[in-house]
Amino acid sequence: SQTIHQWPATLVQPVGSPLSLECTVEGTSNPNLYWYRQAAGRGLQLLFYSVGIGQISSEVPQNLSASRPQDRQFILSSKKLLLSDSGFYLCASARLAENYEQYFGPGTRLTVT
Amino acid sequence: EDKVVQSPLSLVVHEGDTVTLNCSYEVTNFRSLLWYKQEKKAPTFLFMLTSSGIEKKSGRLSSILDKKELSSILNITATQTGDSAIYLCAVHYSGGYQKVTFGTGTKLQVIP
C-alpha cells in the first residue's frame, strides 16, 4: 500500500517569508498527487493536483505554487507568506487502479505570524 | 459549480446513541463517493461507494449511496467516545482529469 511522507510536521513562519513543503510517496508509481489546505474545524480545500511530472493544475488563485519534479515528489511553495496561509496542509496520493482512493500524508501545521 | 454539502455541521450525542450523517453533491461525471474520519491529523479512509443502493458496512459504521438523490448517509450505531471526530465526505469525479471535492465535514462529539 501507499505511504505518504510530509515534512515538516509543524512550522511557524513570519509574514513575508518563503515556504517549501515537501511530500514524497512510497509504494506506488505514477499517482495523482494533491495538496489540500484545511482551516481549523473546516473541510479540505483542494489547492493543486498533478497527474504527472511537471503537470500542475491550480484550483484556487493564491500566492502559493506547486511543482512535481519527480514522479513521487510534490512540493508546495510560496515566495511570501500571508497570514491567511495559516492552516493544516495535507498531501494526498491516488491511483486509477485503486479507484482514486485518496491516501493522505500526516500533514503540516503552518502558522504564519 | 461542483459542490459537496454535509449536514449537520456539528453534532453532540451521548454514548450508545445512533447518528446519521448526510452528504449531498452536485458534480459532473460522478465516479465515487468517499467517507473519511479525521481525528487529530490526516483523514483515514472509511468507505468508497460507487453503486447506488448497496450498503457498505464495517462494524458499527455503514454507508449507502443514492445516485438518484445525489446523496449518501453514514450511520454510526451504538456510538462510543472514540467515534468523536470530523467525518468528511468527498466526491470523486472526472472531467479530463481526476478530481476530488470535499465537503466541509461534520464534527461529531460523543459524550459519556
mmCIF file of all heavy atoms in Angstrom, chain A residues 5-11 13 18-24 35-36 47 64-67 73-78 81 85 87-91 107-110:
data_model
loop_
_atom_site.group_PDB
_atom_site.id
_atom_site.type_symbol
_atom_site.label_atom_id
_atom_site.label_comp_id
_atom_site.label_asym_id
_atom_site.label_seq_id
_atom_site.Cartn_x
_atom_site.Cartn_y
_atom_site.Cartn_z
ATOM 1 N N HIS A 5 4.769 10.637 2.836
ATOM 2 C CA HIS A 5 5.610 11.326 3.800
ATOM 3 C C HIS A 5 5.507 12.831 3.587
ATOM 4 O O HIS A 5 5.561 13.300 2.439
ATOM 5 C CB HIS A 5 7.074 10.904 3.643
ATOM 6 C CG HIS A 5 7.293 9.443 3.827
ATOM 7 N ND1 HIS A 5 7.369 8.849 5.073
ATOM 8 C CD2 HIS A 5 7.445 8.440 2.917
ATOM 9 C CE1 HIS A 5 7.566 7.554 4.927
ATOM 10 N NE2 HIS A 5 7.615 7.271 3.637
ATOM 11 N N GLN A 6 5.358 13.552 4.669
ATOM 12 C CA GLN A 6 5.335 15.014 4.598
ATOM 13 C C GLN A 6 6.236 15.567 5.685
ATOM 14 O O GLN A 6 6.294 15.041 6.793
ATOM 15 C CB GLN A 6 3.923 15.553 4.869
ATOM 16 C CG GLN A 6 2.974 15.522 3.712
ATOM 17 C CD GLN A 6 1.675 16.221 4.055
ATOM 18 O OE1 GLN A 6 0.654 15.571 4.238
ATOM 19 N NE2 GLN A 6 1.713 17.542 4.140
ATOM 20 N N TRP A 7 6.896 16.658 5.371
ATOM 21 C CA TRP A 7 7.658 17.356 6.398
ATOM 22 C C TRP A 7 7.795 18.825 6.045
ATOM 23 O O TRP A 7 7.660 19.208 4.888
ATOM 24 C CB TRP A 7 9.052 16.729 6.591
ATOM 25 C CG TRP A 7 9.934 16.763 5.395
ATOM 26 C CD1 TRP A 7 10.818 17.719 5.031
ATOM 27 C CD2 TRP A 7 10.027 15.750 4.397
ATOM 28 N NE1 TRP A 7 11.441 17.366 3.868
ATOM 29 C CE2 TRP A 7 10.985 16.155 3.457
ATOM 30 C CE3 TRP A 7 9.372 14.520 4.201
ATOM 31 C CZ2 TRP A 7 11.307 15.381 2.346
ATOM 32 C CZ3 TRP A 7 9.698 13.764 3.104
ATOM 33 C CH2 TRP A 7 10.656 14.199 2.190
ATOM 34 N N PRO A 8 7.933 19.681 7.068
ATOM 35 C CA PRO A 8 7.950 19.301 8.476
ATOM 36 C C PRO A 8 6.544 19.054 9.015
ATOM 37 O O PRO A 8 5.566 19.325 8.335
ATOM 38 C CB PRO A 8 8.574 20.539 9.134
ATOM 39 C CG PRO A 8 8.129 21.676 8.269
ATOM 40 C CD PRO A 8 8.113 21.127 6.857
ATOM 41 N N ALA A 9 6.437 18.575 10.229
ATOM 42 C CA ALA A 9 5.129 18.328 10.838
ATOM 43 C C ALA A 9 4.488 19.634 11.286
ATOM 44 O O ALA A 9 3.281 19.813 11.179
ATOM 45 C CB ALA A 9 5.264 17.382 12.031
ATOM 46 N N THR A 10 5.295 20.534 11.816
ATOM 47 C CA THR A 10 4.801 21.847 12.216
ATOM 48 C C THR A 10 5.805 22.898 11.759
ATOM 49 O O THR A 10 7.007 22.630 11.652
ATOM 50 C CB THR A 10 4.603 21.962 13.743
ATOM 51 O OG1 THR A 10 5.855 21.697 14.383
ATOM 52 C CG2 THR A 10 3.566 20.999 14.246
ATOM 53 N N LEU A 11 5.270 24.088 11.524
ATOM 54 C CA LEU A 11 6.121 25.162 11.015
ATOM 55 C C LEU A 11 5.530 26.494 11.439
ATOM 56 O O LEU A 11 4.328 26.712 11.287
ATOM 57 C CB LEU A 11 6.182 25.071 9.488
ATOM 58 C CG LEU A 11 7.185 25.911 8.718
ATOM 59 C CD1 LEU A 11 8.599 25.578 9.171
ATOM 60 C CD2 LEU A 11 7.027 25.670 7.236
ATOM 61 N N GLN A 13 6.179 30.472 10.686
ATOM 62 C CA GLN A 13 6.917 31.354 9.792
ATOM 63 C C GLN A 13 6.368 32.777 9.881
ATOM 64 O O GLN A 13 5.163 32.957 10.024
ATOM 65 C CB GLN A 13 6.780 30.881 8.336
ATOM 66 C CG GLN A 13 7.441 29.546 8.010
ATOM 67 C CD GLN A 13 8.926 29.706 7.805
ATOM 68 O OE1 GLN A 13 9.697 29.438 8.731
ATOM 69 N NE2 GLN A 13 9.317 30.142 6.628
ATOM 70 N N PRO A 18 9.511 32.927 2.838
ATOM 71 C CA PRO A 18 9.194 31.896 1.845
ATOM 72 C C PRO A 18 8.760 30.595 2.513
ATOM 73 O O PRO A 18 8.944 30.402 3.717
ATOM 74 C CB PRO A 18 10.522 31.718 1.105
ATOM 75 C CG PRO A 18 11.555 32.068 2.129
ATOM 76 C CD PRO A 18 10.956 33.134 2.989
ATOM 77 N N LEU A 19 8.185 29.717 1.693
ATOM 78 C CA LEU A 19 7.692 28.437 2.204
ATOM 79 C C LEU A 19 8.052 27.328 1.223
ATOM 80 O O LEU A 19 7.993 27.512 0.001
ATOM 81 C CB LEU A 19 6.166 28.470 2.350
ATOM 82 C CG LEU A 19 5.494 27.146 2.721
ATOM 83 C CD1 LEU A 19 5.748 26.804 4.176
ATOM 84 C CD2 LEU A 19 4.007 27.181 2.422
ATOM 85 N N SER A 20 8.420 26.190 1.779
ATOM 86 C CA SER A 20 8.590 24.995 0.957
ATOM 87 C C SER A 20 8.177 23.790 1.768
ATOM 88 O O SER A 20 8.788 23.477 2.789
ATOM 89 C CB SER A 20 10.047 24.850 0.502
ATOM 90 O OG SER A 20 10.179 23.696 -0.311
ATOM 91 N N LEU A 21 7.105 23.137 1.349
ATOM 92 C CA LEU A 21 6.639 21.907 1.991
ATOM 93 C C LEU A 21 6.827 20.769 0.997
ATOM 94 O O LEU A 21 6.473 20.897 -0.174
ATOM 95 C CB LEU A 21 5.156 22.005 2.369
ATOM 96 C CG LEU A 21 4.752 23.120 3.303
ATOM 97 C CD1 LEU A 21 3.251 23.039 3.594
ATOM 98 C CD2 LEU A 21 5.538 23.068 4.589
ATOM 99 N N GLU A 22 7.348 19.666 1.501
ATOM 100 C CA GLU A 22 7.637 18.557 0.602
ATOM 101 C C GLU A 22 6.796 17.329 0.934
ATOM 102 O O GLU A 22 6.525 17.044 2.098
ATOM 103 C CB GLU A 22 9.123 18.201 0.651
ATOM 104 C CG GLU A 22 9.523 17.167 -0.387
ATOM 105 C CD GLU A 22 11.019 17.130 -0.618
ATOM 106 O OE1 GLU A 22 11.720 18.059 -0.184
ATOM 107 O OE2 GLU A 22 11.482 16.145 -1.222
ATOM 108 N N CYS A 23 6.426 16.633 -0.096
ATOM 109 C CA CYS A 23 5.637 15.412 0.031
ATOM 110 C C CYS A 23 6.270 14.359 -0.870
ATOM 111 O O CYS A 23 6.563 14.632 -2.040
ATOM 112 C CB CYS A 23 4.205 15.698 -0.410
ATOM 113 S SG CYS A 23 3.161 14.251 -0.640
ATOM 114 N N THR A 24 6.522 13.183 -0.316
ATOM 115 C CA THR A 24 7.015 12.087 -1.141
ATOM 116 C C THR A 24 6.138 10.856 -0.908
ATOM 117 O O THR A 24 5.566 10.677 0.167
ATOM 118 C CB THR A 24 8.475 11.745 -0.826
ATOM 119 O OG1 THR A 24 8.587 11.392 0.549
ATOM 120 C CG2 THR A 24 9.383 12.912 -1.134
ATOM 121 N N TRP A 35 -2.506 18.620 -3.195
ATOM 122 C CA TRP A 35 -2.269 19.428 -1.995
ATOM 123 C C TRP A 35 -3.603 20.007 -1.556
ATOM 124 O O TRP A 35 -4.336 20.609 -2.347
ATOM 125 C CB TRP A 35 -1.310 20.584 -2.278
ATOM 126 C CG TRP A 35 0.142 20.237 -2.212
ATOM 127 C CD1 TRP A 35 1.025 20.208 -3.240
ATOM 128 C CD2 TRP A 35 0.896 19.896 -1.047
ATOM 129 N NE1 TRP A 35 2.262 19.853 -2.792
ATOM 130 C CE2 TRP A 35 2.217 19.662 -1.450
ATOM 131 C CE3 TRP A 35 0.586 19.761 0.311
ATOM 132 C CZ2 TRP A 35 3.234 19.298 -0.563
ATOM 133 C CZ3 TRP A 35 1.583 19.404 1.186
ATOM 134 C CH2 TRP A 35 2.888 19.179 0.757
ATOM 135 N N TYR A 36 -3.904 19.821 -0.252
ATOM 136 C CA TYR A 36 -5.110 20.380 0.350
ATOM 137 C C TYR A 36 -4.712 21.294 1.495
ATOM 138 O O TYR A 36 -3.674 21.106 2.128
ATOM 139 C CB TYR A 36 -5.992 19.279 0.940
ATOM 140 C CG TYR A 36 -6.622 18.348 -0.064
ATOM 141 C CD1 TYR A 36 -5.993 17.167 -0.424
ATOM 142 C CD2 TYR A 36 -7.856 18.635 -0.629
ATOM 143 C CE1 TYR A 36 -6.576 16.292 -1.326
ATOM 144 C CE2 TYR A 36 -8.455 17.762 -1.533
ATOM 145 C CZ TYR A 36 -7.797 16.594 -1.869
ATOM 146 O OH TYR A 36 -8.389 15.740 -2.761
ATOM 147 N N LEU A 47 -6.009 22.627 -3.310
ATOM 148 C CA LEU A 47 -5.170 23.727 -3.789
ATOM 149 C C LEU A 47 -4.585 23.405 -5.165
ATOM 150 O O LEU A 47 -4.689 24.191 -6.095
ATOM 151 C CB LEU A 47 -4.030 23.993 -2.805
ATOM 152 C CG LEU A 47 -4.429 24.359 -1.388
ATOM 153 C CD1 LEU A 47 -3.183 24.485 -0.512
ATOM 154 C CD2 LEU A 47 -5.231 25.649 -1.355
ATOM 155 N N LEU A 64 0.384 30.788 -3.564
ATOM 156 C CA LEU A 64 1.083 29.523 -3.443
ATOM 157 C C LEU A 64 1.330 28.944 -4.831
ATOM 158 O O LEU A 64 0.599 29.253 -5.782
ATOM 159 C CB LEU A 64 0.251 28.530 -2.617
ATOM 160 C CG LEU A 64 -0.069 28.938 -1.182
ATOM 161 C CD1 LEU A 64 -1.054 27.956 -0.566
ATOM 162 C CD2 LEU A 64 1.195 28.999 -0.345
ATOM 163 N N SER A 65 2.334 28.092 -4.928
ATOM 164 C CA SER A 65 2.602 27.384 -6.170
ATOM 165 C C SER A 65 2.991 25.950 -5.837
ATOM 166 O O SER A 65 3.314 25.640 -4.680
ATOM 167 C CB SER A 65 3.708 28.067 -6.970
ATOM 168 O OG SER A 65 4.912 28.065 -6.237
ATOM 169 N N ALA A 66 2.934 25.082 -6.813
ATOM 170 C CA ALA A 66 3.296 23.690 -6.599
ATOM 171 C C ALA A 66 4.173 23.226 -7.750
ATOM 172 O O ALA A 66 4.090 23.752 -8.860
ATOM 173 C CB ALA A 66 2.057 22.818 -6.487
ATOM 174 N N SER A 67 4.995 22.236 -7.459
ATOM 175 C CA SER A 67 5.832 21.647 -8.500
ATOM 176 C C SER A 67 5.934 20.150 -8.263
ATOM 177 O O SER A 67 5.798 19.660 -7.125
ATOM 178 C CB SER A 67 7.225 22.280 -8.496
ATOM 179 O OG SER A 67 7.887 22.039 -7.269
ATOM 180 N N GLN A 73 7.253 12.956 -5.988
ATOM 181 C CA GLN A 73 7.609 14.114 -5.167
ATOM 182 C C GLN A 73 6.739 15.288 -5.559
ATOM 183 O O GLN A 73 6.609 15.616 -6.754
ATOM 184 C CB GLN A 73 9.092 14.468 -5.370
ATOM 185 C CG GLN A 73 9.575 15.596 -4.495
ATOM 186 C CD GLN A 73 11.017 15.977 -4.807
ATOM 187 O OE1 GLN A 73 11.482 15.804 -5.932
ATOM 188 N NE2 GLN A 73 11.714 16.507 -3.828
ATOM 189 N N PHE A 74 6.152 15.920 -4.553
ATOM 190 C CA PHE A 74 5.249 17.038 -4.800
ATOM 191 C C PHE A 74 5.611 18.123 -3.802
ATOM 192 O O PHE A 74 5.709 17.853 -2.599
ATOM 193 C CB PHE A 74 3.797 16.576 -4.598
ATOM 194 C CG PHE A 74 2.757 17.370 -5.322
ATOM 195 C CD1 PHE A 74 3.050 18.133 -6.439
ATOM 196 C CD2 PHE A 74 1.433 17.343 -4.893
ATOM 197 C CE1 PHE A 74 2.068 18.844 -7.109
ATOM 198 C CE2 PHE A 74 0.442 18.050 -5.554
ATOM 199 C CZ PHE A 74 0.762 18.795 -6.663
ATOM 200 N N ILE A 75 5.843 19.335 -4.300
ATOM 201 C CA ILE A 75 6.318 20.412 -3.445
ATOM 202 C C ILE A 75 5.344 21.581 -3.490
ATOM 203 O O ILE A 75 4.885 21.973 -4.571
ATOM 204 C CB ILE A 75 7.720 20.877 -3.892
ATOM 205 C CG1 ILE A 75 8.707 19.712 -3.751
ATOM 206 C CG2 ILE A 75 8.192 22.070 -3.066
ATOM 207 C CD1 ILE A 75 10.066 19.980 -4.368
ATOM 208 N N LEU A 76 5.060 22.130 -2.344
ATOM 209 C CA LEU A 76 4.216 23.322 -2.223
ATOM 210 C C LEU A 76 5.088 24.480 -1.782
ATOM 211 O O LEU A 76 5.843 24.349 -0.818
ATOM 212 C CB LEU A 76 3.105 23.089 -1.201
ATOM 213 C CG LEU A 76 2.096 24.220 -1.006
ATOM 214 C CD1 LEU A 76 1.224 24.376 -2.248
ATOM 215 C CD2 LEU A 76 1.227 23.956 0.217
ATOM 216 N N SER A 77 4.985 25.598 -2.491
ATOM 217 C CA SER A 77 5.893 26.720 -2.220
ATOM 218 C C SER A 77 5.156 28.039 -2.175
ATOM 219 O O SER A 77 4.047 28.179 -2.696
ATOM 220 C CB SER A 77 6.963 26.802 -3.316
ATOM 221 O OG SER A 77 7.655 25.608 -3.469
ATOM 222 N N SER A 78 5.829 28.990 -1.552
ATOM 223 C CA SER A 78 5.370 30.377 -1.600
ATOM 224 C C SER A 78 6.586 31.279 -1.519
ATOM 225 O O SER A 78 7.536 30.969 -0.793
ATOM 226 C CB SER A 78 4.417 30.692 -0.445
ATOM 227 O OG SER A 78 4.099 32.074 -0.431
ATOM 228 N N LEU A 81 4.787 34.524 2.380
ATOM 229 C CA LEU A 81 3.613 34.042 3.087
ATOM 230 C C LEU A 81 2.720 35.176 3.584
ATOM 231 O O LEU A 81 3.209 36.255 3.958
ATOM 232 C CB LEU A 81 4.036 33.185 4.293
ATOM 233 C CG LEU A 81 4.517 31.773 3.961
ATOM 234 C CD1 LEU A 81 5.167 31.142 5.185
ATOM 235 C CD2 LEU A 81 3.372 30.907 3.462
ATOM 236 N N ASP A 85 -2.417 32.275 4.982
ATOM 237 C CA ASP A 85 -1.862 30.985 4.559
ATOM 238 C C ASP A 85 -1.776 29.991 5.720
ATOM 239 O O ASP A 85 -1.493 28.811 5.505
ATOM 240 C CB ASP A 85 -0.475 31.172 3.945
ATOM 241 C CG ASP A 85 -0.521 31.905 2.619
ATOM 242 O OD1 ASP A 85 -1.492 31.684 1.855
ATOM 243 O OD2 ASP A 85 0.403 32.700 2.346
ATOM 244 N N GLY A 87 -2.684 27.232 8.304
ATOM 245 C CA GLY A 87 -3.627 26.127 8.195
ATOM 246 C C GLY A 87 -2.917 24.799 8.261
ATOM 247 O O GLY A 87 -1.708 24.727 8.511
ATOM 248 N N PHE A 88 -3.671 23.755 8.022
ATOM 249 C CA PHE A 88 -3.156 22.396 8.036
ATOM 250 C C PHE A 88 -3.071 21.936 6.589
ATOM 251 O O PHE A 88 -4.081 21.892 5.887
ATOM 252 C CB PHE A 88 -4.106 21.521 8.859
ATOM 253 C CG PHE A 88 -3.606 20.138 9.143
ATOM 254 C CD1 PHE A 88 -2.333 19.930 9.637
ATOM 255 C CD2 PHE A 88 -4.422 19.042 8.938
ATOM 256 C CE1 PHE A 88 -1.864 18.652 9.923
ATOM 257 C CE2 PHE A 88 -3.970 17.760 9.214
ATOM 258 C CZ PHE A 88 -2.686 17.567 9.705
ATOM 259 N N TYR A 89 -1.874 21.615 6.137
ATOM 260 C CA TYR A 89 -1.661 21.258 4.745
ATOM 261 C C TYR A 89 -1.481 19.751 4.626
ATOM 262 O O TYR A 89 -0.629 19.158 5.289
ATOM 263 C CB TYR A 89 -0.426 21.982 4.188
ATOM 264 C CG TYR A 89 -0.687 23.456 3.979
ATOM 265 C CD1 TYR A 89 -0.596 24.342 5.048
ATOM 266 C CD2 TYR A 89 -1.049 23.958 2.730
ATOM 267 C CE1 TYR A 89 -0.860 25.695 4.866
ATOM 268 C CE2 TYR A 89 -1.307 25.303 2.546
ATOM 269 C CZ TYR A 89 -1.210 26.164 3.619
ATOM 270 O OH TYR A 89 -1.475 27.501 3.434
ATOM 271 N N LEU A 90 -2.274 19.187 3.748
ATOM 272 C CA LEU A 90 -2.251 17.739 3.550
ATOM 273 C C LEU A 90 -1.895 17.409 2.110
ATOM 274 O O LEU A 90 -2.433 18.009 1.178
ATOM 275 C CB LEU A 90 -3.617 17.136 3.873
ATOM 276 C CG LEU A 90 -3.989 17.059 5.351
ATOM 277 C CD1 LEU A 90 -5.477 16.951 5.527
ATOM 278 C CD2 LEU A 90 -3.293 15.860 5.995
ATOM 279 N N CYS A 91 -1.016 16.444 1.974
ATOM 280 C CA CYS A 91 -0.682 15.906 0.662
ATOM 281 C C CYS A 91 -1.407 14.570 0.520
ATOM 282 O O CYS A 91 -1.533 13.824 1.501
ATOM 283 C CB CYS A 91 0.830 15.706 0.570
ATOM 284 S SG CYS A 91 1.389 14.951 -0.964
ATOM 285 N N GLY A 107 0.413 15.406 7.293
ATOM 286 C CA GLY A 107 0.075 16.824 7.333
ATOM 287 C C GLY A 107 1.155 17.703 7.919
ATOM 288 O O GLY A 107 2.023 17.246 8.676
ATOM 289 N N THR A 108 1.101 18.979 7.551
ATOM 290 C CA THR A 108 1.984 20.015 8.120
ATOM 291 C C THR A 108 1.101 21.129 8.652
ATOM 292 O O THR A 108 0.273 21.675 7.922
ATOM 293 C CB THR A 108 2.931 20.605 7.056
ATOM 294 O OG1 THR A 108 3.843 19.602 6.624
ATOM 295 C CG2 THR A 108 3.707 21.790 7.629
ATOM 296 N N ARG A 109 1.290 21.450 9.932
ATOM 297 C CA ARG A 109 0.531 22.562 10.504
ATOM 298 C C ARG A 109 1.372 23.820 10.389
ATOM 299 O O ARG A 109 2.425 23.928 11.018
ATOM 300 C CB ARG A 109 0.174 22.290 11.957
ATOM 301 C CG ARG A 109 -0.806 23.330 12.517
ATOM 302 C CD ARG A 109 -1.507 22.876 13.773
ATOM 303 N NE ARG A 109 -2.254 21.641 13.605
ATOM 304 C CZ ARG A 109 -3.438 21.547 13.013
ATOM 305 N NH1 ARG A 109 -4.020 22.623 12.526
ATOM 306 N NH2 ARG A 109 -4.055 20.378 12.925
ATOM 307 N N LEU A 110 0.909 24.755 9.578
ATOM 308 C CA LEU A 110 1.637 26.003 9.323
ATOM 309 C C LEU A 110 0.961 27.148 10.045
ATOM 310 O O LEU A 110 -0.236 27.362 9.899
ATOM 311 C CB LEU A 110 1.673 26.300 7.817
ATOM 312 C CG LEU A 110 2.220 27.671 7.412
ATOM 313 C CD1 LEU A 110 3.703 27.772 7.756
ATOM 314 C CD2 LEU A 110 1.986 27.930 5.929
#
